Short mmCIF file of all heavy atoms in Angstrom, two decimals:
data_model
loop_
_atom_site.label_atom_id
_atom_site.label_comp_id
_atom_site.label_asym_id
_atom_site.label_seq_id
_atom_site.Cartn_x
_atom_site.Cartn_y
_atom_site.Cartn_z
N ASP A 476 4.67 -4.50 2.69
CA ASP A 476 5.30 -4.92 3.93
C ASP A 476 5.26 -3.81 4.98
O ASP A 476 5.13 -4.07 6.17
CB ASP A 476 6.75 -5.32 3.66
CG ASP A 476 7.43 -5.84 4.93
OD1 ASP A 476 6.91 -6.81 5.50
OD2 ASP A 476 8.44 -5.25 5.35
N GLU A 485 -4.36 5.77 7.43
CA GLU A 485 -2.92 5.59 7.61
C GLU A 485 -2.21 5.26 6.30
O GLU A 485 -1.18 5.84 5.98
CB GLU A 485 -2.66 4.48 8.64
CG GLU A 485 -3.04 4.87 10.05
CD GLU A 485 -2.95 3.70 11.03
OE1 GLU A 485 -3.03 2.53 10.59
OE2 GLU A 485 -2.82 3.94 12.23
N GLU A 533 10.76 -0.95 -2.54
CA GLU A 533 11.80 -1.92 -2.19
C GLU A 533 12.96 -1.88 -3.18
O GLU A 533 14.12 -1.95 -2.80
CB GLU A 533 11.20 -3.35 -2.16
CG GLU A 533 10.52 -3.74 -0.86
CD GLU A 533 9.08 -3.24 -0.76
OE1 GLU A 533 8.62 -2.55 -1.69
OE2 GLU A 533 8.42 -3.54 0.27
N TYR A 535 13.53 0.60 -5.45
CA TYR A 535 13.68 1.96 -5.99
C TYR A 535 15.14 2.26 -6.34
O TYR A 535 15.43 2.87 -7.37
CB TYR A 535 13.15 2.95 -4.96
CG TYR A 535 13.24 4.41 -5.34
CD1 TYR A 535 12.99 4.85 -6.63
CD2 TYR A 535 13.55 5.35 -4.37
CE1 TYR A 535 13.06 6.19 -6.95
CE2 TYR A 535 13.62 6.70 -4.68
CZ TYR A 535 13.38 7.12 -5.96
OH TYR A 535 13.45 8.45 -6.27
N LYS A 542 14.83 6.42 -14.39
CA LYS A 542 13.98 7.59 -14.53
C LYS A 542 14.72 8.76 -15.14
O LYS A 542 14.11 9.68 -15.68
CB LYS A 542 13.44 8.02 -13.16
CG LYS A 542 12.19 7.27 -12.75
CD LYS A 542 11.71 7.65 -11.38
CE LYS A 542 11.13 9.04 -11.29
NZ LYS A 542 10.60 9.32 -9.93
N ARG A 543 16.04 8.73 -15.04
CA ARG A 543 16.84 9.85 -15.55
C ARG A 543 17.40 9.58 -16.95
O ARG A 543 18.31 10.27 -17.39
CB ARG A 543 17.99 10.15 -14.58
CG ARG A 543 17.55 10.43 -13.14
CD ARG A 543 16.64 11.64 -13.06
NE ARG A 543 16.20 11.85 -11.68
CZ ARG A 543 16.59 12.89 -10.94
NH1 ARG A 543 17.38 13.80 -11.44
NH2 ARG A 543 16.15 13.01 -9.69
N HIS B 222 14.25 -0.96 1.77
CA HIS B 222 14.97 -1.82 0.83
C HIS B 222 15.42 -3.13 1.48
O HIS B 222 15.08 -4.19 0.99
CB HIS B 222 16.17 -1.06 0.27
CG HIS B 222 15.79 0.30 -0.25
ND1 HIS B 222 15.04 0.47 -1.38
CD2 HIS B 222 16.00 1.54 0.26
CE1 HIS B 222 14.82 1.77 -1.57
NE2 HIS B 222 15.39 2.44 -0.59
N LYS B 224 14.83 -3.86 4.83
CA LYS B 224 13.89 -4.11 5.92
C LYS B 224 14.54 -4.00 7.31
O LYS B 224 13.89 -4.25 8.32
CB LYS B 224 13.21 -5.48 5.79
CG LYS B 224 12.57 -5.76 4.45
CD LYS B 224 11.42 -4.81 4.18
CE LYS B 224 10.75 -5.11 2.84
NZ LYS B 224 9.78 -4.10 2.47
N HIS B 249 6.00 8.67 7.07
CA HIS B 249 5.01 7.59 6.96
C HIS B 249 5.34 6.59 8.06
O HIS B 249 6.48 6.16 8.17
CB HIS B 249 5.09 6.96 5.58
CG HIS B 249 3.91 6.08 5.23
ND1 HIS B 249 2.67 6.24 5.80
CD2 HIS B 249 3.79 5.05 4.37
CE1 HIS B 249 1.85 5.33 5.29
NE2 HIS B 249 2.50 4.59 4.43
N ARG B 252 2.37 1.36 12.61
CA ARG B 252 2.20 0.95 14.01
C ARG B 252 2.65 -0.49 14.22
O ARG B 252 3.12 -0.85 15.28
CB ARG B 252 0.72 1.00 14.39
CG ARG B 252 0.14 2.37 14.50
CD ARG B 252 -1.36 2.26 14.69
NE ARG B 252 -2.01 3.52 14.39
CZ ARG B 252 -2.28 4.43 15.33
NH1 ARG B 252 -1.99 4.20 16.59
NH2 ARG B 252 -2.84 5.56 15.00
N ARG B 253 2.44 -1.32 13.19
CA ARG B 253 2.81 -2.73 13.32
C ARG B 253 4.32 -2.86 13.55
O ARG B 253 4.77 -3.65 14.36
CB ARG B 253 2.41 -3.49 12.04
CG ARG B 253 2.56 -4.98 12.10
CD ARG B 253 2.15 -5.59 10.77
NE ARG B 253 3.06 -5.24 9.69
CZ ARG B 253 4.12 -5.95 9.34
NH1 ARG B 253 4.40 -7.07 9.97
NH2 ARG B 253 4.91 -5.56 8.37
N GLU B 265 17.84 7.84 -7.81
CA GLU B 265 17.80 8.23 -9.22
C GLU B 265 19.14 8.78 -9.70
O GLU B 265 19.48 8.66 -10.86
CB GLU B 265 16.68 9.26 -9.43
CG GLU B 265 15.32 8.66 -9.17
CD GLU B 265 14.17 9.65 -9.33
OE1 GLU B 265 14.34 10.64 -10.07
OE2 GLU B 265 13.11 9.42 -8.71
#
Side-chain angles (χ1 to χ4, degrees):
Chain A
D476 183 58
E485 290 172 337
E533 276 83 358
Y535 180 39
K542 275 177 70 176
R543 305 299 179 112
Chain B
H222 310 290
K224 308 296 182 188
H249 194 25
R252 290 172 198 266
R253 188 181 67 91
E265 295 178 25

